[in-house]
Amino acid sequence: MEAVPVLSIFAENKPGKLEKITEVLAKEGINILGFSIVSVKDFGVIKFLVDKPEKAYQKFKERGFTVAKVPCLGIELEDRPGGLYEVVKLISSKEINIESALVYVAETRKKAYFVFEVEDLDSAWEKLKGEGANFLRASDFIKE
Amino acid sequence: MEKRYFNPKIELLPREELGALQLKKLKKIINKVYKRVPHYRKKFEEAGVKPSHLKTLEDIRHFPFTTKEDLFVDYPFGLLAEPLEKVVRLHTSSGTTGKPKALFFSRKDVMAQAELIARSLVMSGATSGDILQNSMTYGLFTGALVMHYGAELLGMLVIPAGPGNTERQIELMRTFGTTCIHMTPSYALYVASLIQEKGLKPGKDLKLKRAYLGAEPYTEETRRKIEEMLKVDVFNCYGLSEMGGPGVGFECPVKEGLHLWEDAFLVEIVNPENGEPVKPGEVGELVLTSLNREAMPLIRYRTRDLTRFIPEPCSCGRTHVRIARILGRADDMFIVRGVNIFPQQIEGVLMGIKGVAQNYQIILEGYDEMTVKVEIDRDFFDGRIERLLKLKEEITEKLRQAIQVRPKVELVEPGTLPVSEGKAKRVIDKRTL
Ligand SMILES: [Zn+2]
């Protein structure tokens, strides 16, 4: 399975919280490749796709953050109008529910990926793997 | 289950007869304090009641409460109802400030309390063949000495270990084959963790069967944890120095509440705010009248301990009423939207929910708005927001069921709330009226 790790951090909605989180990554020289923020009033969950996920995970832990690694699937988006639509349509046609998502644009700027989280990763993979989509591989972006 | 009783006649006494016995004793003791204790006479007169007004047990409601403050009137001997020659024992109970409460016991009082302990121990299944390691504090505190006398009365071998020196405690357990222990729940947890650390196997290297834990409130979770770690049956015991120490209330093997020995105490549960009796099963402050005490009887003593009656008859056969484990102190109580709530209720709910860490905080603000801040468990977080939302909903709903008020629940990061240090930091009341 071509799963990629996304870091997920629990954060109370307090001023300066996002600053503290991104500071950790900046100080450790970890590159943010994509991120998303979901907030529900008093708290939120911030997700990062980074080039050194294991190091980032350890550093967040060391500094007392509540962090988890969530395996996600990434599908390449075609660089044309309707590219995202095609991917989302494929996913929903398999009755897979997207729980969260972020977009990763590769360094070359030539390729972009839709990186998404589902409840049951194994079954989503089984349903999608034969559909001719290009999946993002961990080795495509991880430098550790 | 084999049923044995230390004093079957009293323990199984039908409730009508128990009531009649209580009334007889109550009349006697009300008369006695009215005659012999000037402070009680003065209080009765101020309340406009006389011993002759007491016709039924319910009439006790017209008599004034005795509070902690009353124990300091004419201190230290002011509440004695017998000459000092008849007093054989002093126990004290330290307050938060100033002088300790001074409690006096006659020889008869000491032996009467010992009987309550002996009954309780037999109720738990203990026999004269058991070996009790008594790890409460010996001295001015009632905890150890009163248990000691009761266990000896039953004929157990008592090891007067006292608290502390855990290495030695474990050594005593191994050398003498201790079968029962008496200590505080927090110390039991500590002892159990050291036993684990040493690689000793309870049930194999140790012969422990029962743990009598009391002197501080604890939850059902803690009981289960200790039972599992030490491979024992944990029995909750309740007492207070004012009422003679441990032995006032004790769990039977059914472990659903503590039997209060009603031939020795008249039991009431009142609303801590106005002193009125609560509805059956509702939480309130335990109020006790000592029916047997000779040297220093206490009438309608406000224990400040919160509990509720368990009205159903107990399957162990004992007719004496049961109360729920002590839920907290009346002083910790607060009122939201007209409902009496105390932090321990909330703690109890939170401890039973997976995904919640130890700390919580209650914030009262605005127009009676209640917010409960809850630390999430670091290991529970798997990165998914849905799981957190479900957790939040579960907490809200379970709290609503327990306290009848729907609080606002906020999930916060572990380690961000102040560590538990009693009420002060648990409840923050910002309401202004
Ligand atoms: Zn029972």
Side-chain angles (χ1 to χ4, degrees), chain A residues 23-70:
Chain A
E23 187 189 14
V24 173
L25 297 172
K27 275 199 175 150
E28 300 296 336
I30 295 164
N31 201 8
I32 300 171
L33 308 175
F35 72 94
S36 77
I37 299 176
V38 182
S39 159
V40 283
K41 278 193 194 161
D42 47 303
F43 68 89
V45 170
I46 301 166
K47 293 188 171 145
F48 292 107
L49 185 74
V50 295
D51 61 348
K52 291 168 193 139
E54 198 48 49
K55 183 179 179 189
Y57 178 74
Q58 291 308 333
K59 293 293 165 191
F60 278 125
K61 280 231 128 160
E62 277 167 27
R63 290 175 198 212
F65 288 90
T66 305
V67 60
K69 278 181 286 189
V70 186

Side-chain angles (χ1 to χ4, degrees), chain A residues 8-12 17 38 40 42-45 47 64-68 70 99 117-119, chain B residues 373 376-379 381-386 388-390 392 408-414 416:
Chain A
S8 180
I9 299 158
F10 174 81
E12 288 164 58
K17 194 76 213 176
V38 182
V40 283
D42 47 303
F43 68 89
V45 170
K47 293 188 171 145
F65 288 90
T66 305
V67 60
V70 186
E99 296 209 338
E117 176 194 333
V118 294
E119 203 185 330
Chain B
K373 289 193 173 194
I376 63 163
D377 180 351
R378 220 176 276 282
D379 297 327
F381 180 67
D382 67 352
R384 288 161 198 267
I385 203 154
E386 283 70 21
L388 296 172
L389 290 171
K390 265 187 206 140
K392 190 170 153 167
K408 198 174 143 217
V409 170
E410 279 183 19
L411 301 181
V412 303
E413 286 175 63
T416 55

Side-chain angles (χ1 to χ4, degrees), chain B residues 137-163:
Chain B
T137 304
Y138 278 84
L140 286 166
F141 173 57
T142 47
L145 266 177
V146 171
M147 176 62 84
H148 188 114
Y149 273 59
E152 282 190 354
L153 180 64
L154 171 58
M156 292 169 109
L157 168 59
V158 184
I159 305 174

Side-chain angles (χ1 to χ4, degrees), chain A residues 101-120:
Chain A
L102 55 86
V103 168
Y104 160 50
V105 179
E107 275 165 66
T108 55
R109 305 245 164 229
K110 295 244 169 65
K111 279 182 180 172
Y113 293 88
F114 182 67
V115 180
F116 60 100
E117 176 194 333
V118 294
E119 203 185 330
D120 185 345

